[in-house]
């Protein structure tokens, strides 16, 4: 989605004076520690339910993403490349320049009520986290969840955020009328690694507590054990420790995924690695020398250990 798709309705596409941001869009900064150095671009989106390209390796067809860019600042985030579609960079801009679709809830209600909508499952949090810190201020998810509940439309949420518990009332109300599920993302529980590569996220153990709370309240929640980081969090001892803590949380399932490095994330990750773990750079270039994914033999070995421990 490029900026032309984000412009306010009625903005002339052939107007040479049209700015990068839509007319009427608002640029904000907030003088609070959690948003220091961040800029929020409040825009009016034209649509909110997105169809996933057929070539994508995902088990769902439709998504809702109220934000672009993410304050979680995960070094490895696969979605970094999408910021380049907006003429922003996939590194620092992705972490600090957040696109906020302020009309997301209104659009969700309108599109779910359309005769053309078939009531398909909607996945959220699959590009950037819909419960990143910005959601605490903008509260877009409450309106989106209310629209899904009122339409009795099935949905799922993937998050690293504990803020999802704020909306437990809406989640349980929706679960009374449709299929609702969640996954929290916890690839490892080592505190030093967490602080280094996921600096804007809640502690992994708080995420597992969130998983437990969701399940205790009837919202089926599993754990996406992702990403497993080669040579950093993939030792048998580290994997077993993480699986044990996931099991203790009462997760309904565990899905291990080894780190993949698409363009955008690849450059940002290797830059970080060269500063923090330079000895690992040659090993990563060997492991990911042929593409975004580690060799199948490596993936099978690691995920096999996880399944054995589980």
């Amino acid at each position: 989605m490029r900026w032309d798709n984000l412009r306010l309705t009625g903005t002339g596409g052939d107007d040479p004076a049209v700015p990068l941001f839509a007319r009427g869009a608002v640029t904000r900064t907030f003088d609070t520690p959690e948003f220091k150095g961040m800029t929020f671009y409040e825009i009016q989106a034209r649509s909110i339910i997105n169809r996933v390209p057929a070539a994508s390796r995902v088990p769902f067809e439709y998504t809702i993403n109220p934000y672009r860019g993410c304050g979680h600042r995960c070094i490895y985030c696969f979605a970094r490349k999408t910021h380049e579609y907006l003429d922003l960079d996939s590194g620092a801009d992705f972490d600090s320049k957040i696109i906020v679709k302020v009309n997301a809830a209104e659009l969700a209600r309108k599109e779910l009520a359309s005769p053309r909508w078939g009531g398909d499952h909607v996945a959220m949090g699959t590009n950037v986290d819909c419960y990143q810190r910005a959601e605490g201020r903008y509260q877009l998810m409450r309106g989106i969840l209310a629209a899904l509940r009122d339409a009795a439309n099935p949905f799922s949420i993937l998050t690293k955020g504990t803020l999802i518990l704020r909306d437990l009332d809406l989640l349980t109300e929706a679960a009374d009328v449709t299929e609702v599920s969640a996954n929290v993302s916890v690839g490892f529980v080592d505190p030093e690694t967490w602080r280094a590569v996921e600096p804007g996220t809640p502690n992994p153990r708080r995420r597992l507590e969130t998983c437990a709370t969701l399940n205790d309240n009837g919202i089926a929640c599993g754990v996406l054990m992702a990403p497993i980081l080669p040579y950093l969090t993939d030792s048998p001892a580290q994997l077993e420790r993480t699986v044990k803590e996931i099991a203790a949380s009462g997760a309904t399932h565990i899905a291990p995924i080894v780190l993949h490095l698409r363009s955008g994330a690849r450059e940002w990750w290797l830059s970080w690695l060269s500063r923090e773990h330079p000895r690992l750079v040659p090993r990563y270039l060997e492991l990911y020398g042929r593409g975004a994914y580690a060799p199948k033999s490596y993936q099978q070995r690691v995920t096999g250990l996880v399944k054995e421990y589980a």
Side-chain angles (χ1 to χ4, degrees):
M1 179 168 57
R2 298 186 183 276
W3 282 112
D4 280 346
N5 297 327
L6 298 177
R7 300 188 194 283
L8 293 180
T9 300
T11 300
D14 56 351
D15 182 355
V18 168
L20 179 63
F21 296 98
R23 293 191 182 114
V26 176
T27 303
R28 294 190 192 277
T29 57
F30 300 111
D31 189 22
T32 53
E34 66 268 30
F35 296 136
K36 184 179 180 181
M38 299 182 71
T39 303
F40 298 90
Y41 302 99
E42 300 175 359
I43 62 97
Q44 297 281 331
R46 286 185 174 176
S47 63
I48 199 64
I49 300 179
N50 310 300
R51 189 163 194 163
V52 179
S56 299
R57 300 185 181 186
V58 293
F60 47 82
E61 192 173 356
Y62 294 95
T63 65
I64 288 179
N65 296 295
Y67 302 97
R68 299 287 294 267
C70 188
H72 280 167
R73 309 198 309 276
C74 300
I75 307 296
Y76 52 74
C77 183
F78 72 91
R80 287 184 173 276
K81 181 71 174 178
T82 62
H83 237 44
E84 295 180 8
Y85 305 158
L86 310 177
D87 295 332
L88 299 170
D89 73 56
S90 58
D93 283 353
F94 180 85
D95 297 339
S96 63
K97 296 182 177 180
I98 311 300
I99 315 305
V100 184
K101 303 174 187 178
V102 292
N103 60 336
E106 173 190 344
L107 284 176
R109 189 167 292 277
K110 177 181 176 181
E111 293 173 20
L112 290 167
S114 169
R116 296 189 299 274
W117 176 245
D120 298 270
H121 178 98
V122 173
M124 292 175 285
T126 57
N127 186 43
V128 302
D129 205 315
C130 53
Y131 281 107
Q132 59 179 285
R133 288 182 181 179
E135 170 60 16
R137 178 172 290 270
Y138 286 101
Q139 300 191 39
L140 300 180
M141 284 298 292
R142 287 197 65 81
I144 293 169
L145 292 176
L148 288 161
R149 175 203 62 195
D150 294 346
N153 200 99
F155 66 88
S156 59
I157 298 171
L158 170 63
T159 185
K160 283 188 175 78
T162 56
L163 187 57
I164 188 175
L165 295 182
R166 178 203 66 191
D167 296 337
L168 193 55
D169 58 333
L170 291 167
L171 293 170
T172 54
E173 288 170 9
D176 287 338
V177 296
T178 190
E179 182 181 341
V180 176
S181 63
N183 281 278
V184 296
S185 177
V186 178
F188 42 84
V189 293
D190 176 69
E192 291 186 7
T193 305
W194 159 59
R195 291 189 186 96
V197 304
E198 300 174 347
T201 65
N203 187 297
R205 290 186 173 85
R206 287 188 60 209
R207 295 178 229 161
L208 293 178
E209 290 171 2
T210 297
C211 176
T213 301
L214 288 169
N215 279 308
D216 288 345
N217 284 273
I219 307 300
C221 184
V223 171
L224 195 66
M225 188 174 164
I228 297 169
L229 305 173
Y231 313 120
L232 290 171
T233 66
D234 65 343
S235 72
Q238 289 170 308
L239 295 174
E240 185 173 18
R241 177 185 173 192
T242 302
V243 170
K244 282 184 175 180
E245 296 207 25
I246 291 172
S249 76
T252 58
H253 61 274
I254 181 171
I257 300 178
V258 172
L259 173 72
H260 55 267
L261 293 175
R262 298 176 186 168
S263 176
R266 182 186 185 95
E267 294 81 4
W268 197 242
W269 175 259
L270 290 176
S271 176
W272 174 84
L273 205 66
S274 67
R275 295 192 307 271
E276 303 297 329
H277 301 280
R279 64 182 179 82
L280 292 182
V281 172
R283 301 176 76 178
Y284 265 81
L285 292 177
E286 180 181 359
L287 199 62
Y288 292 93
R290 296 188 177 183
Y293 296 88
K296 286 187 177 180
S297 58
Y298 172 86
Q299 294 186 54
Q300 290 169 350
R301 177 174 64 82
V302 171
T303 57
L305 282 172
V306 171
K307 291 176 182 177
E308 178 184 333
Y309 298 142

